[in-house]
Amino acid sequence: MASILLVILLSTDRWAQKDVNPALFSRELMRNSSSFLKDEEVNGDPQILLMKAHAATSSIGSATVIIAVLEKIGTLKIASVGDCGLKVIRKGQVMFSIPPQEHYFDCPYQISSEAAGQTYQDALVCSVNLMDGDMIVSGSDGLFDNIFDQEIISIISESSGVDEAAKALAELARKHSVDVTFDSPYAMEARSRGFDVPWWKKVLGAKLIGGKMDDITVVVAQVKTVAVPEDEGGDIEEQKGNEQSIAISVSSAEQNEE
Amino acid sequence: MASILLVILLSTDRWAQKDVNPALFSRELMRNSSSFLKDEEVNGDPQILLMKAHAATSSIGSATVIIAVLEKIGTLKIASVGDCGLKVIRKGQVMFSIPPQEHYFDCPYQISSEAAGQTYQDALVCSVNLMDGDMIVSGSDGLFDNIFDQEIISIISESSGVDEAAKALAELARKHSVDVTFDSPYAMEARSRGFDVPWWKKVLGAKLIGGKMDDITVVVAQVKTVAVPEDEGGDIEEQKGNEQSIAISVSSAEQNEE
């Protein structure tokens, strides 16, 4: 079974205080995910892939992670731990969306080198059937905390391709993240959880508002139906009699917190 | 394969203007869904079930629909057309959520007796792996337009069971729907789409606010892991060596728009 892998990882800065390079753990997890993708036991299951990739890490650190495996047959299988997000945009609307998982507000689930962290067993495991033309937008909390669904939809519809869309999304999220007057999804969520400005600011008419400074990672993928020549498709049993397959073009962009 | 079926249907009132009883179509669709559940071709696939149930209707009308099929193995398979919703609550947070599908704001996708309507091919098809203790909250747009995720989570955590939760959710949504001062999810969504009060109200400081009067249907289900005696589980091949299965207790409540 040929599969395509999308991985979003966000390393956790808190480790830097303990003289640990926070990027090492997530880089190792990503490398392991790629190498186990063709593993027979994994067999296209993103949760098993996460288990194996995590077990094979030796670095210290923690990370939030989404692993998404696309099978030729057109089903995107997802395992997610933490507050990265993934949305499927179809015909100008969000058709599918993964909410963030947190212990409490702003404290996400994490795959970790320590026993106290989460494992593959804590992952949200789900799948969605894709259609020709679907756009997949996946990213770190820094993206979805600073940009509304309607903005994502506008950018997707105005962009000429995945490269342009990924760059435009990262740029707009970055702009909002440093805008103290922008009523961001993050600020709205914080207020709905009962967070607020101090009372002495409140009496002056202030309210909790603004973007959220954070690293921003975006991956945009476009789904295209392609014809599969018979000799190539022959070894894929699930596709017997199915002459169409799914391909995606992927682009990513990053904006680091300065 | 033993399956459990959850169906949410909402008939469309617009047909009443044409002397059509808008409930007939949705009732027939629900009856058909139940009778095709054990169909061999359906084989636990909610999209095929929707196709067959829709094809077998003879009434005139249209409806938004969610069909969810739970297999013993613990995967909830979903096909959704329109603006009904389904959320999975795990450990005090929304772990999984289906966004509404609409042509434009307030005009949902619909399965219809007319050729212009949507079909099973327009359905969002997805699945989610359930865990012991998960609560499934599914309902019409009248529920999710009038109640926030945090309120759903609170009610679920405070209720002694699915009956109490379903009733409490329907009651709170009903209360909010007739409260013109409540800043509902519906009002917030409307404002984010650029809808607003007329300019002459705006200059007086008014803003678009209030609940949304609508029929409210709620289904709450609780997932429990149960032991399967060997002789019962023997015919389920996917479960070989797996001694656990999933059961759910379900309750529903309704509040009709007066």
Side-chain angles (χ1 to χ4, degrees):
Chain A
M1 169 69 66
S3 305
I4 296 160
L5 179 69
L6 293 173
V7 185
I8 297 283
L9 281 156
L10 196 71
S11 51
T12 310
D13 292 342
R14 288 166 198 149
W15 289 93
Q17 296 153 7
K18 297 182 188 170
D19 285 334
V20 171
N21 177 352
L24 286 183
F25 180 79
S26 60
R27 270 189 216 143
E28 201 185 359
L29 201 56
M30 170 140 8
R31 224 173 22 241
N32 293 349
S33 301
S34 296
S35 44
F36 281 113
L37 181 60
K38 301 284 177 196
D39 187 285
E40 218 170 88
E41 277 178 295
V42 168
N43 192 28
D45 184 325
Q47 193 177 23
I48 308 285
L49 181 57
L50 176 58
M51 179 191 74
K52 294 210 157 209
H54 186 196
T57 54
S58 57
S59 312
I60 290 173
S62 60
T64 61
V65 56
I66 282 190
I67 294 185
V69 179
L70 177 63
E71 293 180 353
K72 272 197 180 165
I73 208 158
T75 301
L76 189 69
K77 296 182 176 177
I78 302 155
S80 170
V81 177
D83 58 359
C84 292
L86 184 147
K87 291 176 195 277
V88 176
I89 320 278
R90 182 180 300 165
K91 294 178 185 167
Q93 59 186 310
V94 175
M95 284 289 277
F96 184 80
S97 177
I98 294 181
Q101 303 149 261
E102 298 168 323
H103 296 293
Y104 48 87
F105 188 57
D106 239 6
C107 177
Y109 277 30
Q110 295 189 13
I111 291 288
S112 170
S113 55
E114 312 302 295
Q118 279 68 57
T119 72
Y120 72 99
Q121 290 177 309
D122 301 294
L124 169 73
V125 181
C126 59
S127 72
V128 57
N129 289 12
L130 295 175
M131 285 186 182
D132 189 48
D134 281 354
M135 298 290 284
I136 303 165
V137 177
S138 187
S140 61
D141 56 332
L143 175 72
F144 297 109
D145 280 344
N146 286 304
I147 201 162
F148 286 96
D149 281 2
Q150 285 303 315
E151 294 176 312
I152 295 173
I153 290 165
S154 291
I155 286 177
I156 290 291
S157 72
E158 287 160 13
S159 300
S160 63
V162 288
D163 291 336
E164 199 182 312
K167 271 182 208 135
L169 286 167
E171 271 170 30
L172 184 61
R174 174 73 184 153
K175 203 178 120 197
H176 285 168
S177 74
V178 295
D179 181 352
V180 292
T181 66
F182 177 66
D183 198 9
S184 65
Y186 179 80
M188 288 174 73
E189 183 68 21
R191 290 202 306 274
S192 84
R193 308 269 186 122
F195 292 84
D196 211 338
V197 292
W199 67 266
W200 51 270
K201 280 194 181 177
K202 216 171 172 179
V203 293
L204 295 171
K207 72 170 182 173
L208 190 66
I209 204 168
K212 191 195 174 204
M213 291 272 284
D214 207 343
D215 289 337
I216 294 159
T217 304
V218 188
V219 176
V220 178
Q222 182 168 28
V223 179
K224 284 175 191 160
T225 309
V226 292
V228 180
E230 263 189 42
D231 51 351
E232 273 186 47
D235 62 329
I236 301 167
E237 224 169 302
E238 289 84 343
Q239 287 205 310
K240 223 175 261 173
N242 182 353
E243 285 177 13
Q244 290 196 319
S245 182
I246 291 279
I248 55 171
S249 46
V250 182
S251 181
S252 66
E254 276 187 47
Q255 293 267 355
N256 290 318
E257 192 182 355
E258 274 143 29
Chain B
M1 170 69 67
S3 305
I4 296 161
L5 179 70
L6 292 174
V7 185
I8 297 283
L9 281 156
L10 196 72
S11 51
T12 309
D13 291 342
R14 286 165 200 150
W15 289 93
Q17 298 153 6
K18 296 183 187 168
D19 285 334
V20 171
N21 177 352
L24 287 182
F25 180 79
S26 60
R27 272 189 216 142
E28 201 185 0
L29 201 55
M30 169 136 17
R31 225 174 20 241
N32 294 348
S33 300
S34 295
S35 44
F36 282 114
L37 181 61
K38 302 283 177 195
D39 188 286
E40 217 170 89
E41 277 178 295
V42 169
N43 192 29
D45 184 325
Q47 193 178 23
I48 308 286
L49 181 57
L50 176 59
M51 179 191 75
K52 294 210 156 209
H54 186 197
T57 54
S58 56
S59 313
I60 290 172
S62 59
T64 60
V65 56
I66 281 190
I67 294 185
V69 179
L70 177 63
E71 292 181 352
K72 271 197 181 165
I73 207 157
T75 300
L76 189 70
K77 295 180 177 179
I78 302 156
S80 171
V81 177
D83 57 1
C84 292
L86 185 147
K87 291 176 196 278
V88 176
I89 320 277
R90 182 180 301 165
K91 295 180 185 165
Q93 59 185 310
V94 175
M95 283 290 276
F96 184 80
S97 178
I98 294 181
Q101 302 149 260
E102 299 168 323
H103 296 294
Y104 47 86
F105 188 56
D106 239 6
C107 176
Y109 277 31
Q110 296 188 14
I111 291 288
S112 171
S113 55
E114 312 302 295
Q118 279 69 58
T119 72
Y120 72 100
Q121 292 178 307
D122 300 293
L124 168 73
V125 181
C126 58
S127 72
V128 56
N129 289 12
L130 295 175
M131 284 187 184
D132 190 49
D134 282 355
M135 298 291 282
I136 303 165
V137 177
S138 188
S140 61
D141 56 332
L143 175 72
F144 298 109
D145 280 345
N146 286 304
I147 201 163
F148 286 95
D149 282 0
Q150 284 304 314
E151 293 177 312
I152 295 173
I153 291 165
S154 291
I155 285 177
I156 290 291
S157 73
E158 287 159 13
S159 300
S160 63
V162 289
D163 292 335
E164 199 183 312
K167 272 182 206 134
L169 285 167
E171 271 169 30
L172 184 61
R174 175 72 183 153
K175 203 179 119 197
H176 284 170
S177 74
V178 295
D179 181 352
V180 293
T181 65
F182 177 65
D183 198 9
S184 65
Y186 179 79
M188 287 173 73
E189 183 67 22
R191 291 202 306 273
S192 85
R193 308 268 186 123
F195 291 84
D196 211 339
V197 292
W199 66 266
W200 50 271
K201 282 195 179 175
K202 215 171 172 178
V203 293
L204 296 171
K207 72 170 182 172
L208 190 67
I209 204 167
K212 191 196 174 203
M213 292 272 283
D214 208 343
D215 290 338
I216 294 160
T217 304
V218 188
V219 175
V220 178
Q222 182 168 28
V223 179
K224 284 174 191 161
T225 309
V226 293
V228 179
E230 264 190 41
D231 51 353
E232 273 187 46
D235 62 328
I236 300 167
E237 226 169 303
E238 289 84 342
Q239 289 206 310
K240 224 175 260 174
N242 182 354
E243 284 176 12
Q244 291 197 317
S245 183
I246 291 278
I248 56 170
S249 45
V250 182
S251 181
S252 65
E254 275 187 47
Q255 294 266 355
N256 290 319
E257 191 182 357
E258 274 144 28

